[in-house]
Amino acid sequence: MAEILIFVALLALGYGFGRHAETRHYKSIIQREAALRDIPVVTTKFPPLDHPVNAELVTGSVVISVDYFKRFLAALRNLAGGRVTSYESLLDRARREAVLRMKQQTLNLGGHIIFNVKLETASIHKGRGSIGSVEVLAYGTALIHPH
Amino acid sequence: MDYQNPKIPEGINTSTSHPLKEFFLLTTGVLGVVAIAALLFALLAEQLAIYIPFETELKWAEKITEYKNRETNKQSEPNNVIDSKDTPMKHYLDELAAKISTAQALPPEMKITVHYQDSDVINAFATLGGHVFLFRGLLEELPNENAVAMVLAHEIAHIKHRHPIRSAGRGIIIGMALTMVSSALGNSMINQVLTNTGGLAVLKFSRDQEDEADQTALESLRKIYGHVFGASELFEIMQQAESTRLTPEFLSTHPLSQQRINAIHTFQSKHNIAEEIKLTPLPDGLFKVLTKQTTPE
């Protein structure tokens, strides 16, 4: 009986905190994306170099942890198959946050555009019972107009 | 060239449906399917368990007892099983069990082992391998041999009808299903929850099995004594005990229903055996050896 209560409490905690964090994070992401929209992120490797620019490597890295509720949902998905929607939003947040951090760095350097942008994902997880976190790294080449 | 990142609408890479909706769909779906499958298999196991030869059951029971003995030795608790000793009680119960076994026409390989436990617990039960456990607490409540014979005959009837192995079959299948789910979910918390809620520890007989055991016990009582008044007395004593103090454990393992008492009365009137009732008293000095043992000087 005690185990059931602990389990339900963990689920409720995971759901409560996870949901709260996610809603707040998305709000902030949408806001900052609007603010940094004038720094385009481009995947092409070859920028048009019609006038002299400085280039600099910019990176943005995020580590986000899964909550107990999301993990339970994903475990059930493991049996039934289909979209693991609980992880989809987690990774979506991580990707967008990583790009935003990269853009922020570019802004701090005085850059105006980022070329050759790549995203990498790594799961920070070592076997059963360890933390379930994901790292997303965004990196690219920021072009900065010389002063 | 002009580069732009226009605003992308939300909900392309993520799902817009509420996570709780998915939670309820998944839990009810997955757990429902597993539960139905487990129940089906459990039913099948219960039906097929009777085809396991009694010798095999005996071997399993031996292994279980060995394991349990090791466990109790670890805990270094005083072992109150004294059935290995040659007491008048042991003699008496063995003789009674032999009489009942003959009356119930048990197959020759089905050996009944009666274990007498020196404990205040008001209970008796039958388990795998033809083992019947009787507690002093229950025996002390019983006024005559007929009532003792009813308890013993009831437990032996469980073994005759292979109820322990059937229940074990059901329990093992359900346990396996639970283990499967918990390991598939890969969550130690769920593992604990499931193993604790669906534990295999106690063999529980169904109401039908209890009724079946009652009927067989009544038949054998009639064969031995010519009447079944011990049975009705047993249940009267149990009812009294229930109203005056804490419910004896015997009643939680053997739920006493009006239906059950009615069945006994029906049996009595059907066989019309109320002419001359001679209740057999318990032999003298049955508990004497025990009291000496339990109060060391």
Side-chain angles (χ1 to χ4, degrees):
Chain A
M1 198 58 213
E3 281 87 356
I4 297 177
L5 285 179
I6 294 170
F7 174 65
V8 171
L10 281 174
L11 270 187
L13 272 180
Y15 177 72
F17 281 117
R19 187 89 176 142
H20 177 69
E22 187 156 295
T23 337
R24 232 176 47 174
H25 193 196
Y26 263 125
K27 224 175 173 177
S28 144
I29 285 174
I30 290 165
Q31 219 173 27
R32 284 181 293 149
E33 272 178 351
L36 292 168
R37 183 145 294 131
D38 47 351
I39 301 179
V41 169
V42 182
T43 53
T44 175
K45 277 184 178 175
F46 308 107
L49 296 171
D50 34 16
H51 37 105
V53 284
N54 292 336
E56 195 143 350
L57 173 74
V58 279
T59 62
S61 153
V62 187
V63 177
I64 288 191
S65 173
V66 66
D67 59 63
Y68 198 86
F69 180 77
K70 278 182 188 296
R71 200 195 282 229
F72 181 69
L73 272 189
L76 284 176
R77 267 284 168 232
N78 212 2
L79 289 174
R83 271 179 81 169
V84 188
T85 51
S86 65
Y87 280 9
E88 276 181 354
S89 62
L90 196 78
L91 278 155
D92 184 56
R93 277 160 63 197
R95 274 193 307 267
R96 288 164 78 172
E97 180 69 36
V99 170
L100 279 171
R101 287 182 185 181
M102 184 178 68
K103 279 186 173 185
Q104 187 61 50
Q105 202 188 335
T106 311
L107 188 74
N108 295 349
L109 290 169
H112 63 281
I113 191 163
I114 313 167
F115 275 93
N116 194 14
V117 169
K118 294 198 166 87
L119 285 163
E120 288 192 14
T121 311
S123 100
I124 303 177
H125 184 264
K126 281 204 174 94
R128 253 187 193 194
S130 81
I131 49 156
S133 304
V134 67
E135 190 220 12
V136 173
L137 169 71
Y139 60 96
T141 309
L143 301 189
I144 304 155
H145 285 305
H147 295 292
Chain B
M1 204 190 270
D2 189 28
Y3 293 101
Q4 270 184 348
N5 285 158
K7 185 177 162 49
I8 300 165
E10 297 293 322
I12 292 174
N13 288 330
T14 55
S15 160
T16 45
S17 78
H18 201 276
L20 279 182
K21 189 183 151 202
E22 199 194 343
F23 173 76
F24 285 118
L25 278 177
L26 273 178
T27 40
T28 49
V30 169
L31 296 181
V33 166
V34 171
I36 290 168
L39 275 180
L40 274 178
F41 280 120
L43 225 72
L44 207 64
E46 209 182 322
Q47 294 303 310
L48 294 177
I50 46 167
Y51 297 108
I52 297 170
F54 194 77
E55 286 95 334
T56 318
E57 188 185 321
L58 268 177
K59 272 180 213 153
W60 291 346
E62 254 170 54
K63 278 198 186 125
I64 294 169
T65 339
E66 263 172 42
Y67 175 77
K68 273 193 184 155
N69 283 345
R70 243 181 289 144
E71 290 291 298
T72 42
N73 286 347
K74 258 188 232 157
Q75 290 166 358
S76 73
E77 268 175 22
N79 205 349
N80 55 10
V81 186
I82 55 155
D83 46 44
S84 54
K85 288 185 189 122
D86 199 23
T87 61
M89 181 60 95
K90 164 93 177 138
H91 263 289
Y92 175 64
L93 290 177
D94 278 348
E95 261 171 48
L96 201 54
K99 251 192 256 175
I100 294 164
S101 303
T102 325
Q104 291 190 4
L106 293 189
E109 76 275 9
M110 214 178 256
K111 285 257 181 323
I112 302 293
T113 319
V114 184
H115 301 267
Y116 176 69
Q117 310 250 306
D118 187 14
S119 146
D120 288 328
V121 181
I122 304 183
N123 201 8
F125 61 87
T127 185
L128 289 173
H131 295 283
V132 174
F133 288 82
L134 283 170
F135 291 86
R136 176 172 49 79
L138 176 65
L139 284 179
E140 279 176 348
E141 298 285 323
L142 304 176
N144 49 49
E145 185 179 296
N146 304 64
V148 177
M150 178 60 193
V151 173
L152 209 51
H154 175 93
E155 303 306 340
I156 291 175
H158 274 313
I159 289 162
K160 176 186 161 86
H161 298 300
R162 309 294 304 275
H163 292 163
I165 189 97
R166 283 179 174 211
S167 297
R170 192 180 51 199
I172 288 166
I173 288 290
I174 289 176
M176 269 165 66
L178 291 176
T179 318
M180 209 181 71
V181 176
S182 62
S183 63
L185 292 177
N187 188 316
S188 58
M189 198 67 222
I190 301 169
N191 209 341
Q192 256 183 0
V193 171
L194 289 181
T195 41
N196 280 3
T197 45
L200 291 163
V202 185
L203 293 178
K204 208 158 165 53
F205 301 134
S206 71
R207 182 157 290 190
D208 287 345
Q209 289 178 330
E210 292 298 345
D211 289 344
E212 197 182 13
D214 268 352
Q215 285 302 313
T216 312
L218 290 169
E219 291 279 1
S220 49
L221 239 65
R222 192 176 62 92
K223 267 189 204 151
I224 298 169
Y225 301 106
H227 62 81
V228 294
F229 275 86
S232 37
E233 243 184 349
L234 168 70
F235 289 117
E236 270 160 34
I237 290 160
M238 282 296 137
Q239 259 178 332
Q240 269 171 14
E242 192 182 21
S243 57
T244 50
R245 62 185 119 127
L246 290 170
T247 312
E249 247 172 80
F250 187 72
L251 286 183
S252 63
T253 49
H254 301 74
L256 185 59
S257 60
Q258 195 53 49
Q259 206 186 336
R260 219 173 143 189
I261 298 170
N262 289 346
I264 292 167
H265 288 310
T266 323
F267 187 93
Q268 247 166 0
S269 50
K270 199 163 70 186
H271 296 278
N272 203 16
I273 36 190
E275 288 152 22
E276 193 191 335
I277 306 147
K278 243 172 81 190
L279 292 170
T280 316
L282 286 168
D284 281 337
L286 260 188
F287 292 106
K288 271 179 193 159
V289 184
L290 292 174
T291 25
K292 240 185 244 164
Q293 278 184 346
T294 46
T295 51
E297 275 140 61

